[in-house]
Amino acid sequence: MCRVVDLQQAVLAQNDERALDLRRYLADRGTAEVNLLSSPGSGKTALLELLLARAVRRGVSSAAVTADLATENDARRLATAGAPVKQVLTDGLCHLEAGMLRSHLEDWLPDGTRLLFVENVGNLVCPASYDLGETLRIVLGSVTEGEDKPLKYPTAFGLANLVTITKTDIADAVAFDAEAFHRHVQQVNPGVPVVETSARTAAGVDALLDAVLAVAEGAPVHQPPLARTHQQHMHRHDHAAHDGGEDHHHPAAVPT
């Protein structure tokens, strides 16, 4: 009997296995990984620069991996915060994968690193489907992108453990409807915490770092309802594969 092979599902399943291995590797080292996802131009690098600098100032051993299709501009910028930084060039790939990240961490990640920030490729589509073994997944949306962003990218925002609004210092200038944004976030991910920030004024940055550190110390992490749905689909797919059946669903990999 001929069986259809779902290539995308196979790729995601392989990534899930590598993400589980990476999660164990980091847990053994006492490192909490924070996966940052956003569109290009959301202010992710500027916010991460402040987070790193404040973590260093508090004496929290931190490091960062930043991914881009080309250039090492972000790594040079982040290095000024005083923490170890590594640039990953994806050579055209629109996302990081767990195996790729693991290969860059080995022989580089300093012993005793408490926080590892991973600045994913600027994209809210591809990266959302790939578990990187993270402890916490933060999805950023800037006020310049509009309050309907969570509805346009329901998988990215729906799988977030925490959502951050950036560039709030110019919210009034761009007529950003914060109330609508919060409502839309809760529509796709009920109960997810939302932190409002501004890299220019530093508003909300300490609150965001406090939230990250709390999770690193074992505080409960918000579990998105969408994650449970995807896990159920994965479970059904596994049974179908063992039984010789077919399943054409393409669920995203889910952070745990």
PDB file of all heavy atoms in Angstrom, residues 123-164:
ATOM      1  N   ASN A 123      10.734  37.616  11.475  1.00  0.00           N
ATOM      2  CA  ASN A 123       9.716  36.929  10.678  1.00  0.00           C
ATOM      3  C   ASN A 123       8.696  36.363  11.655  1.00  0.00           C
ATOM      4  O   ASN A 123       9.083  35.736  12.647  1.00  0.00           O
ATOM      5  CB  ASN A 123      10.383  35.796   9.883  1.00  0.00           C
ATOM      6  CG  ASN A 123       9.481  35.133   8.877  1.00  0.00           C
ATOM      7  OD1 ASN A 123       8.269  35.052   9.060  1.00  0.00           O
ATOM      8  ND2 ASN A 123      10.064  34.641   7.808  1.00  0.00           N
ATOM      9  N   LEU A 124       7.413  36.537  11.400  1.00  0.00           N
ATOM     10  CA  LEU A 124       6.396  35.985  12.290  1.00  0.00           C
ATOM     11  C   LEU A 124       5.723  34.740  11.718  1.00  0.00           C
ATOM     12  O   LEU A 124       4.743  34.258  12.291  1.00  0.00           O
ATOM     13  CB  LEU A 124       5.333  37.046  12.599  1.00  0.00           C
ATOM     14  CG  LEU A 124       5.710  38.072  13.669  1.00  0.00           C
ATOM     15  CD1 LEU A 124       4.606  39.114  13.819  1.00  0.00           C
ATOM     16  CD2 LEU A 124       5.993  37.401  15.006  1.00  0.00           C
ATOM     17  N   VAL A 125       6.241  34.235  10.610  1.00  0.00           N
ATOM     18  CA  VAL A 125       5.634  33.052   9.998  1.00  0.00           C
ATOM     19  C   VAL A 125       6.487  31.805  10.278  1.00  0.00           C
ATOM     20  O   VAL A 125       6.120  30.969  11.106  1.00  0.00           O
ATOM     21  CB  VAL A 125       5.433  33.247   8.485  1.00  0.00           C
ATOM     22  CG1 VAL A 125       4.779  32.009   7.874  1.00  0.00           C
ATOM     23  CG2 VAL A 125       4.562  34.469   8.211  1.00  0.00           C
ATOM     24  N   CYS A 126       7.620  31.688   9.603  1.00  0.00           N
ATOM     25  CA  CYS A 126       8.453  30.478   9.726  1.00  0.00           C
ATOM     26  C   CYS A 126       8.910  30.186  11.155  1.00  0.00           C
ATOM     27  O   CYS A 126       8.776  29.051  11.622  1.00  0.00           O
ATOM     28  CB  CYS A 126       9.667  30.568   8.808  1.00  0.00           C
ATOM     29  SG  CYS A 126       9.258  30.839   7.078  1.00  0.00           S
ATOM     30  N   PRO A 127       9.474  31.151  11.887  1.00  0.00           N
ATOM     31  CA  PRO A 127       9.992  30.830  13.221  1.00  0.00           C
ATOM     32  C   PRO A 127       8.941  30.307  14.194  1.00  0.00           C
ATOM     33  O   PRO A 127       9.271  29.588  15.136  1.00  0.00           O
ATOM     34  CB  PRO A 127      10.562  32.179  13.702  1.00  0.00           C
ATOM     35  CG  PRO A 127      10.868  32.926  12.457  1.00  0.00           C
ATOM     36  CD  PRO A 127       9.764  32.544  11.509  1.00  0.00           C
ATOM     37  N   ALA A 128       7.676  30.668  13.975  1.00  0.00           N
ATOM     38  CA  ALA A 128       6.627  30.267  14.901  1.00  0.00           C
ATOM     39  C   ALA A 128       6.464  28.753  14.968  1.00  0.00           C
ATOM     40  O   ALA A 128       6.019  28.211  15.981  1.00  0.00           O
ATOM     41  CB  ALA A 128       5.301  30.912  14.493  1.00  0.00           C
ATOM     42  N   SER A 129       6.832  28.049  13.902  1.00  0.00           N
ATOM     43  CA  SER A 129       6.619  26.610  13.831  1.00  0.00           C
ATOM     44  C   SER A 129       7.756  25.784  14.412  1.00  0.00           C
ATOM     45  O   SER A 129       7.648  24.574  14.499  1.00  0.00           O
ATOM     46  CB  SER A 129       6.407  26.193  12.364  1.00  0.00           C
ATOM     47  OG  SER A 129       5.257  26.801  11.819  1.00  0.00           O
ATOM     48  N   TYR A 130       8.849  26.439  14.809  1.00  0.00           N
ATOM     49  CA  TYR A 130      10.032  25.701  15.233  1.00  0.00           C
ATOM     50  C   TYR A 130      10.341  25.912  16.713  1.00  0.00           C
ATOM     51  O   TYR A 130      10.676  27.010  17.140  1.00  0.00           O
ATOM     52  CB  TYR A 130      11.240  26.095  14.377  1.00  0.00           C
ATOM     53  CG  TYR A 130      11.157  25.515  12.988  1.00  0.00           C
ATOM     54  CD1 TYR A 130      10.419  26.153  12.000  1.00  0.00           C
ATOM     55  CD2 TYR A 130      11.773  24.305  12.676  1.00  0.00           C
ATOM     56  CE1 TYR A 130      10.307  25.607  10.725  1.00  0.00           C
ATOM     57  CE2 TYR A 130      11.671  23.753  11.411  1.00  0.00           C
ATOM     58  CZ  TYR A 130      10.939  24.415  10.436  1.00  0.00           C
ATOM     59  OH  TYR A 130      10.820  23.868   9.181  1.00  0.00           O
ATOM     60  N   ASP A 131      10.223  24.844  17.469  1.00  0.00           N
ATOM     61  CA  ASP A 131      10.619  24.824  18.867  1.00  0.00           C
ATOM     62  C   ASP A 131      12.142  24.865  18.920  1.00  0.00           C
ATOM     63  O   ASP A 131      12.811  24.073  18.245  1.00  0.00           O
ATOM     64  CB  ASP A 131      10.088  23.539  19.500  1.00  0.00           C
ATOM     65  CG  ASP A 131      10.382  23.415  20.978  1.00  0.00           C
ATOM     66  OD1 ASP A 131      11.049  24.303  21.541  1.00  0.00           O
ATOM     67  OD2 ASP A 131       9.947  22.405  21.567  1.00  0.00           O
ATOM     68  N   LEU A 132      12.702  25.771  19.713  1.00  0.00           N
ATOM     69  CA  LEU A 132      14.153  25.871  19.854  1.00  0.00           C
ATOM     70  C   LEU A 132      14.631  25.386  21.219  1.00  0.00           C
ATOM     71  O   LEU A 132      15.715  25.717  21.657  1.00  0.00           O
ATOM     72  CB  LEU A 132      14.610  27.313  19.626  1.00  0.00           C
ATOM     73  CG  LEU A 132      14.379  27.896  18.230  1.00  0.00           C
ATOM     74  CD1 LEU A 132      14.960  29.297  18.147  1.00  0.00           C
ATOM     75  CD2 LEU A 132      14.983  26.998  17.156  1.00  0.00           C
ATOM     76  N   GLY A 133      13.797  24.616  21.906  1.00  0.00           N
ATOM     77  CA  GLY A 133      14.176  24.146  23.223  1.00  0.00           C
ATOM     78  C   GLY A 133      14.103  25.240  24.272  1.00  0.00           C
ATOM     79  O   GLY A 133      14.726  25.157  25.329  1.00  0.00           O
ATOM     80  N   GLU A 134      13.317  26.274  23.994  1.00  0.00           N
ATOM     81  CA  GLU A 134      13.282  27.436  24.867  1.00  0.00           C
ATOM     82  C   GLU A 134      12.506  27.196  26.156  1.00  0.00           C
ATOM     83  O   GLU A 134      11.606  26.367  26.213  1.00  0.00           O
ATOM     84  CB  GLU A 134      12.665  28.643  24.148  1.00  0.00           C
ATOM     85  CG  GLU A 134      11.215  28.478  23.751  1.00  0.00           C
ATOM     86  CD  GLU A 134      11.050  28.108  22.283  1.00  0.00           C
ATOM     87  OE1 GLU A 134      11.949  27.441  21.738  1.00  0.00           O
ATOM     88  OE2 GLU A 134      10.018  28.466  21.691  1.00  0.00           O
ATOM     89  N   THR A 135      12.882  27.948  27.179  1.00  0.00           N
ATOM     90  CA  THR A 135      12.142  27.978  28.431  1.00  0.00           C
ATOM     91  C   THR A 135      10.975  28.944  28.313  1.00  0.00           C
ATOM     92  O   THR A 135       9.913  28.728  28.889  1.00  0.00           O
ATOM     93  CB  THR A 135      13.067  28.442  29.579  1.00  0.00           C
ATOM     94  OG1 THR A 135      14.259  27.655  29.580  1.00  0.00           O
ATOM     95  CG2 THR A 135      12.375  28.322  30.921  1.00  0.00           C
ATOM     96  N   LEU A 136      11.205  30.021  27.564  1.00  0.00           N
ATOM     97  CA  LEU A 136      10.209  31.083  27.432  1.00  0.00           C
ATOM     98  C   LEU A 136      10.227  31.611  26.004  1.00  0.00           C
ATOM     99  O   LEU A 136      11.289  31.930  25.475  1.00  0.00           O
ATOM    100  CB  LEU A 136      10.542  32.218  28.410  1.00  0.00           C
ATOM    101  CG  LEU A 136       9.588  33.400  28.494  1.00  0.00           C
ATOM    102  CD1 LEU A 136       8.269  32.974  29.123  1.00  0.00           C
ATOM    103  CD2 LEU A 136      10.215  34.531  29.309  1.00  0.00           C
ATOM    104  N   ARG A 137       9.046  31.681  25.393  1.00  0.00           N
ATOM    105  CA  ARG A 137       8.923  32.261  24.058  1.00  0.00           C
ATOM    106  C   ARG A 137       8.209  33.603  24.170  1.00  0.00           C
ATOM    107  O   ARG A 137       7.059  33.679  24.612  1.00  0.00           O
ATOM    108  CB  ARG A 137       8.132  31.334  23.128  1.00  0.00           C
ATOM    109  CG  ARG A 137       7.914  31.911  21.742  1.00  0.00           C
ATOM    110  CD  ARG A 137       7.162  30.974  20.817  1.00  0.00           C
ATOM    111  NE  ARG A 137       7.975  29.824  20.450  1.00  0.00           N
ATOM    112  CZ  ARG A 137       7.768  29.081  19.354  1.00  0.00           C
ATOM    113  NH1 ARG A 137       6.776  29.388  18.528  1.00  0.00           N
ATOM    114  NH2 ARG A 137       8.527  28.041  19.094  1.00  0.00           N
ATOM    115  N   ILE A 138       8.908  34.657  23.756  1.00  0.00           N
ATOM    116  CA  ILE A 138       8.342  36.006  23.797  1.00  0.00           C
ATOM    117  C   ILE A 138       8.123  36.487  22.370  1.00  0.00           C
ATOM    118  O   ILE A 138       9.044  36.478  21.557  1.00  0.00           O
ATOM    119  CB  ILE A 138       9.274  36.992  24.531  1.00  0.00           C
ATOM    120  CG1 ILE A 138       9.545  36.516  25.968  1.00  0.00           C
ATOM    121  CG2 ILE A 138       8.670  38.394  24.540  1.00  0.00           C
ATOM    122  CD1 ILE A 138      10.495  37.421  26.740  1.00  0.00           C
ATOM    123  N   VAL A 139       6.907  36.919  22.078  1.00  0.00           N
ATOM    124  CA  VAL A 139       6.581  37.466  20.758  1.00  0.00           C
ATOM    125  C   VAL A 139       6.349  38.959  20.914  1.00  0.00           C
ATOM    126  O   VAL A 139       5.600  39.402  21.790  1.00  0.00           O
ATOM    127  CB  VAL A 139       5.343  36.783  20.154  1.00  0.00           C
ATOM    128  CG1 VAL A 139       4.980  37.422  18.814  1.00  0.00           C
ATOM    129  CG2 VAL A 139       5.605  35.291  19.964  1.00  0.00           C
ATOM    130  N   LEU A 140       7.045  39.738  20.067  1.00  0.00           N
ATOM    131  CA  LEU A 140       6.978  41.196  20.146  1.00  0.00           C
ATOM    132  C   LEU A 140       6.116  41.754  19.017  1.00  0.00           C
ATOM    133  O   LEU A 140       6.153  41.261  17.882  1.00  0.00           O
ATOM    134  CB  LEU A 140       8.373  41.809  20.036  1.00  0.00           C
ATOM    135  CG  LEU A 140       9.364  41.624  21.177  1.00  0.00           C
ATOM    136  CD1 LEU A 140       9.844  40.186  21.286  1.00  0.00           C
ATOM    137  CD2 LEU A 140      10.562  42.535  21.002  1.00  0.00           C
ATOM    138  N   GLY A 141       5.387  42.802  19.348  1.00  0.00           N
ATOM    139  CA  GLY A 141       4.648  43.556  18.345  1.00  0.00           C
ATOM    140  C   GLY A 141       4.824  45.035  18.620  1.00  0.00           C
ATOM    141  O   GLY A 141       4.623  45.476  19.757  1.00  0.00           O
ATOM    142  N   SER A 142       5.222  45.812  17.626  1.00  0.00           N
ATOM    143  CA  SER A 142       5.443  47.242  17.839  1.00  0.00           C
ATOM    144  C   SER A 142       4.168  48.028  17.553  1.00  0.00           C
ATOM    145  O   SER A 142       3.299  47.582  16.794  1.00  0.00           O
ATOM    146  CB  SER A 142       6.569  47.757  16.946  1.00  0.00           C
ATOM    147  OG  SER A 142       6.153  47.813  15.598  1.00  0.00           O
ATOM    148  N   VAL A 143       4.089  49.219  18.146  1.00  0.00           N
ATOM    149  CA  VAL A 143       2.908  50.055  17.931  1.00  0.00           C
ATOM    150  C   VAL A 143       2.800  50.490  16.476  1.00  0.00           C
ATOM    151  O   VAL A 143       1.705  50.797  15.991  1.00  0.00           O
ATOM    152  CB  VAL A 143       2.937  51.288  18.852  1.00  0.00           C
ATOM    153  CG1 VAL A 143       2.967  50.862  20.316  1.00  0.00           C
ATOM    154  CG2 VAL A 143       4.110  52.200  18.537  1.00  0.00           C
ATOM    155  N   THR A 144       3.924  50.520  15.762  1.00  0.00           N
ATOM    156  CA  THR A 144       3.904  50.942  14.360  1.00  0.00           C
ATOM    157  C   THR A 144       3.319  49.873  13.436  1.00  0.00           C
ATOM    158  O   THR A 144       3.009  50.159  12.281  1.00  0.00           O
ATOM    159  CB  THR A 144       5.326  51.278  13.886  1.00  0.00           C
ATOM    160  OG1 THR A 144       6.175  50.145  14.106  1.00  0.00           O
ATOM    161  CG2 THR A 144       5.876  52.473  14.626  1.00  0.00           C
ATOM    162  N   GLU A 145       3.172  48.660  13.945  1.00  0.00           N
ATOM    163  CA  GLU A 145       2.641  47.569  13.112  1.00  0.00           C
ATOM    164  C   GLU A 145       1.122  47.469  13.168  1.00  0.00           C
ATOM    165  O   GLU A 145       0.526  46.730  12.377  1.00  0.00           O
ATOM    166  CB  GLU A 145       3.252  46.238  13.555  1.00  0.00           C
ATOM    167  CG  GLU A 145       4.749  46.169  13.373  1.00  0.00           C
ATOM    168  CD  GLU A 145       5.320  44.892  13.959  1.00  0.00           C
ATOM    169  OE1 GLU A 145       5.376  43.891  13.232  1.00  0.00           O
ATOM    170  OE2 GLU A 145       5.708  44.893  15.143  1.00  0.00           O
ATOM    171  N   GLY A 146       0.502  48.148  14.100  1.00  0.00           N
ATOM    172  CA  GLY A 146      -0.950  48.124  14.181  1.00  0.00           C
ATOM    173  C   GLY A 146      -1.457  47.151  15.226  1.00  0.00           C
ATOM    174  O   GLY A 146      -0.800  46.180  15.571  1.00  0.00           O
ATOM    175  N   GLU A 147      -2.654  47.438  15.706  1.00  0.00           N
ATOM    176  CA  GLU A 147      -3.229  46.637  16.783  1.00  0.00           C
ATOM    177  C   GLU A 147      -3.809  45.300  16.315  1.00  0.00           C
ATOM    178  O   GLU A 147      -4.178  44.457  17.119  1.00  0.00           O
ATOM    179  CB  GLU A 147      -4.318  47.426  17.514  1.00  0.00           C
ATOM    180  CG  GLU A 147      -5.396  48.012  16.620  1.00  0.00           C
ATOM    181  CD  GLU A 147      -4.980  49.331  15.973  1.00  0.00           C
ATOM    182  OE1 GLU A 147      -4.028  49.973  16.446  1.00  0.00           O
ATOM    183  OE2 GLU A 147      -5.622  49.703  14.969  1.00  0.00           O
ATOM    184  N   ASP A 148      -3.893  45.093  14.996  1.00  0.00           N
ATOM    185  CA  ASP A 148      -4.463  43.837  14.497  1.00  0.00           C
ATOM    186  C   ASP A 148      -3.401  42.767  14.227  1.00  0.00           C
ATOM    187  O   ASP A 148      -3.709  41.697  13.712  1.00  0.00           O
ATOM    188  CB  ASP A 148      -5.278  44.080  13.223  1.00  0.00           C
ATOM    189  CG  ASP A 148      -4.439  44.639  12.077  1.00  0.00           C
ATOM    190  OD1 ASP A 148      -3.309  45.108  12.343  1.00  0.00           O
ATOM    191  OD2 ASP A 148      -4.929  44.630  10.927  1.00  0.00           O
ATOM    192  N   LYS A 149      -2.163  43.027  14.586  1.00  0.00           N
ATOM    193  CA  LYS A 149      -1.071  42.089  14.315  1.00  0.00           C
ATOM    194  C   LYS A 149      -1.340  40.695  14.880  1.00  0.00           C
ATOM    195  O   LYS A 149      -1.093  39.687  14.210  1.00  0.00           O
ATOM    196  CB  LYS A 149       0.248  42.633  14.882  1.00  0.00           C
ATOM    197  CG  LYS A 149       1.491  42.102  14.182  1.00  0.00           C
ATOM    198  CD  LYS A 149       1.617  42.668  12.788  1.00  0.00           C
ATOM    199  CE  LYS A 149       2.959  42.346  12.172  1.00  0.00           C
ATOM    200  NZ  LYS A 149       3.138  42.937  10.844  1.00  0.00           N
ATOM    201  N   PRO A 150      -1.841  40.567  16.107  1.00  0.00           N
ATOM    202  CA  PRO A 150      -2.103  39.222  16.641  1.00  0.00           C
ATOM    203  C   PRO A 150      -3.121  38.433  15.818  1.00  0.00           C
ATOM    204  O   PRO A 150      -3.020  37.208  15.723  1.00  0.00           O
ATOM    205  CB  PRO A 150      -2.641  39.500  18.048  1.00  0.00           C
ATOM    206  CG  PRO A 150      -2.065  40.833  18.402  1.00  0.00           C
ATOM    207  CD  PRO A 150      -2.076  41.607  17.119  1.00  0.00           C
ATOM    208  N   LEU A 151      -4.071  39.137  15.213  1.00  0.00           N
ATOM    209  CA  LEU A 151      -5.072  38.454  14.398  1.00  0.00           C
ATOM    210  C   LEU A 151      -4.497  38.033  13.055  1.00  0.00           C
ATOM    211  O   LEU A 151      -4.906  37.015  12.483  1.00  0.00           O
ATOM    212  CB  LEU A 151      -6.280  39.371  14.178  1.00  0.00           C
ATOM    213  CG  LEU A 151      -7.008  39.847  15.443  1.00  0.00           C
ATOM    214  CD1 LEU A 151      -8.188  40.731  15.066  1.00  0.00           C
ATOM    215  CD2 LEU A 151      -7.466  38.664  16.292  1.00  0.00           C
ATOM    216  N   LYS A 152      -3.540  38.808  12.544  1.00  0.00           N
ATOM    217  CA  LYS A 152      -2.922  38.472  11.259  1.00  0.00           C
ATOM    218  C   LYS A 152      -1.928  37.318  11.389  1.00  0.00           C
ATOM    219  O   LYS A 152      -1.679  36.592  10.422  1.00  0.00           O
ATOM    220  CB  LYS A 152      -2.213  39.697  10.687  1.00  0.00           C
ATOM    221  CG  LYS A 152      -3.144  40.794  10.202  1.00  0.00           C
ATOM    222  CD  LYS A 152      -2.349  41.945   9.584  1.00  0.00           C
ATOM    223  CE  LYS A 152      -3.271  42.992   8.987  1.00  0.00           C
ATOM    224  NZ  LYS A 152      -2.509  44.117   8.376  1.00  0.00           N
ATOM    225  N   TYR A 153      -1.343  37.175  12.572  1.00  0.00           N
ATOM    226  CA  TYR A 153      -0.355  36.119  12.813  1.00  0.00           C
ATOM    227  C   TYR A 153      -0.758  35.314  14.051  1.00  0.00           C
ATOM    228  O   TYR A 153      -0.069  35.338  15.076  1.00  0.00           O
ATOM    229  CB  TYR A 153       1.037  36.728  12.983  1.00  0.00           C
ATOM    230  CG  TYR A 153       1.507  37.449  11.738  1.00  0.00           C
ATOM    231  CD1 TYR A 153       1.264  38.811  11.567  1.00  0.00           C
ATOM    232  CD2 TYR A 153       2.160  36.764  10.709  1.00  0.00           C
ATOM    233  CE1 TYR A 153       1.669  39.475  10.410  1.00  0.00           C
ATOM    234  CE2 TYR A 153       2.566  37.414   9.561  1.00  0.00           C
ATOM    235  CZ  TYR A 153       2.320  38.765   9.420  1.00  0.00           C
ATOM    236  OH  TYR A 153       2.720  39.406   8.274  1.00  0.00           O
ATOM    237  N   PRO A 154      -1.885  34.606  13.971  1.00  0.00           N
ATOM    238  CA  PRO A 154      -2.420  33.926  15.153  1.00  0.00           C
ATOM    239  C   PRO A 154      -1.543  32.785  15.662  1.00  0.00           C
ATOM    240  O   PRO A 154      -1.575  32.478  16.858  1.00  0.00           O
ATOM    241  CB  PRO A 154      -3.781  33.407  14.670  1.00  0.00           C
ATOM    242  CG  PRO A 154      -3.625  33.274  13.186  1.00  0.00           C
ATOM    243  CD  PRO A 154      -2.743  34.412  12.778  1.00  0.00           C
ATOM    244  N   THR A 155      -0.766  32.150  14.792  1.00  0.00           N
ATOM    245  CA  THR A 155       0.097  31.069  15.273  1.00  0.00           C
ATOM    246  C   THR A 155       1.242  31.628  16.102  1.00  0.00           C
ATOM    247  O   THR A 155       1.543  31.136  17.194  1.00  0.00           O
ATOM    248  CB  THR A 155       0.661  30.247  14.099  1.00  0.00           C
ATOM    249  OG1 THR A 155      -0.418  29.683  13.358  1.00  0.00           O
ATOM    250  CG2 THR A 155       1.561  29.128  14.605  1.00  0.00           C
ATOM    251  N   ALA A 156       1.905  32.673  15.598  1.00  0.00           N
ATOM    252  CA  ALA A 156       3.015  33.274  16.336  1.00  0.00           C
ATOM    253  C   ALA A 156       2.555  33.780  17.700  1.00  0.00           C
ATOM    254  O   ALA A 156       3.135  33.442  18.736  1.00  0.00           O
ATOM    255  CB  ALA A 156       3.636  34.408  15.524  1.00  0.00           C
ATOM    256  N   PHE A 157       1.505  34.601  17.714  1.00  0.00           N
ATOM    257  CA  PHE A 157       1.023  35.139  18.982  1.00  0.00           C
ATOM    258  C   PHE A 157       0.299  34.081  19.811  1.00  0.00           C
ATOM    259  O   PHE A 157       0.317  34.130  21.037  1.00  0.00           O
ATOM    260  CB  PHE A 157       0.109  36.340  18.730  1.00  0.00           C
ATOM    261  CG  PHE A 157       0.851  37.598  18.371  1.00  0.00           C
ATOM    262  CD1 PHE A 157       1.111  37.912  17.049  1.00  0.00           C
ATOM    263  CD2 PHE A 157       1.307  38.461  19.359  1.00  0.00           C
ATOM    264  CE1 PHE A 157       1.814  39.072  16.710  1.00  0.00           C
ATOM    265  CE2 PHE A 157       2.006  39.622  19.033  1.00  0.00           C
ATOM    266  CZ  PHE A 157       2.265  39.921  17.701  1.00  0.00           C
ATOM    267  N   GLY A 158      -0.307  33.121  19.135  1.00  0.00           N
ATOM    268  CA  GLY A 158      -1.053  32.083  19.839  1.00  0.00           C
ATOM    269  C   GLY A 158      -0.176  31.092  20.568  1.00  0.00           C
ATOM    270  O   GLY A 158      -0.637  30.395  21.474  1.00  0.00           O
ATOM    271  N   LEU A 159       1.109  30.996  20.199  1.00  0.00           N
ATOM    272  CA  LEU A 159       2.030  30.079  20.866  1.00  0.00           C
ATOM    273  C   LEU A 159       2.987  30.794  21.815  1.00  0.00           C
ATOM    274  O   LEU A 159       3.913  30.182  22.350  1.00  0.00           O
ATOM    275  CB  LEU A 159       2.835  29.295  19.822  1.00  0.00           C
ATOM    276  CG  LEU A 159       2.064  28.237  19.040  1.00  0.00           C
ATOM    277  CD1 LEU A 159       2.929  27.628  17.947  1.00  0.00           C
ATOM    278  CD2 LEU A 159       1.548  27.148  19.973  1.00  0.00           C
ATOM    279  N   ALA A 160       2.775  32.085  22.046  1.00  0.00           N
ATOM    280  CA  ALA A 160       3.663  32.851  22.921  1.00  0.00           C
ATOM    281  C   ALA A 160       3.396  32.533  24.388  1.00  0.00           C
ATOM    282  O   ALA A 160       2.253  32.337  24.803  1.00  0.00           O
ATOM    283  CB  ALA A 160       3.472  34.345  22.681  1.00  0.00           C
ATOM    284  N   ASN A 161       4.475  32.488  25.163  1.00  0.00           N
ATOM    285  CA  ASN A 161       4.340  32.399  26.616  1.00  0.00           C
ATOM    286  C   ASN A 161       4.216  33.786  27.229  1.00  0.00           C
ATOM    287  O   ASN A 161       3.766  33.929  28.365  1.00  0.00           O
ATOM    288  CB  ASN A 161       5.558  31.705  27.231  1.00  0.00           C
ATOM    289  CG  ASN A 161       5.814  30.328  26.652  1.00  0.00           C
ATOM    290  OD1 ASN A 161       6.851  30.108  26.044  1.00  0.00           O
ATOM    291  ND2 ASN A 161       4.880  29.412  26.825  1.00  0.00           N
ATOM    292  N   LEU A 162       4.651  34.788  26.467  1.00  0.00           N
ATOM    293  CA  LEU A 162       4.581  36.180  26.913  1.00  0.00           C
ATOM    294  C   LEU A 162       4.610  37.065  25.670  1.00  0.00           C
ATOM    295  O   LEU A 162       5.325  36.753  24.715  1.00  0.00           O
ATOM    296  CB  LEU A 162       5.757  36.508  27.842  1.00  0.00           C
ATOM    297  CG  LEU A 162       5.764  37.852  28.592  1.00  0.00           C
ATOM    298  CD1 LEU A 162       6.530  37.712  29.904  1.00  0.00           C
ATOM    299  CD2 LEU A 162       6.398  38.957  27.766  1.00  0.00           C
ATOM    300  N   VAL A 163       3.847  38.140  25.684  1.00  0.00           N
ATOM    301  CA  VAL A 163       3.798  39.077  24.562  1.00  0.00           C
ATOM    302  C   VAL A 163       4.320  40.435  25.032  1.00  0.00           C
ATOM    303  O   VAL A 163       4.025  40.869  26.155  1.00  0.00           O
ATOM    304  CB  VAL A 163       2.362  39.230  24.008  1.00  0.00           C
ATOM    305  CG1 VAL A 163       2.275  40.371  23.004  1.00  0.00           C
ATOM    306  CG2 VAL A 163       1.911  37.924  23.363  1.00  0.00           C
ATOM    307  N   THR A 164       5.115  41.082  24.189  1.00  0.00           N
ATOM    308  CA  THR A 164       5.663  42.398  24.516  1.00  0.00           C
ATOM    309  C   THR A 164       5.293  43.405  23.438  1.00  0.00           C
ATOM    310  O   THR A 164       5.448  43.124  22.247  1.00  0.00           O
ATOM    311  CB  THR A 164       7.200  42.334  24.630  1.00  0.00           C
ATOM    312  OG1 THR A 164       7.555  41.447  25.688  1.00  0.00           O
ATOM    313  CG2 THR A 164       7.774  43.704  24.927  1.00  0.00           C
TER     314      THR A 164
END
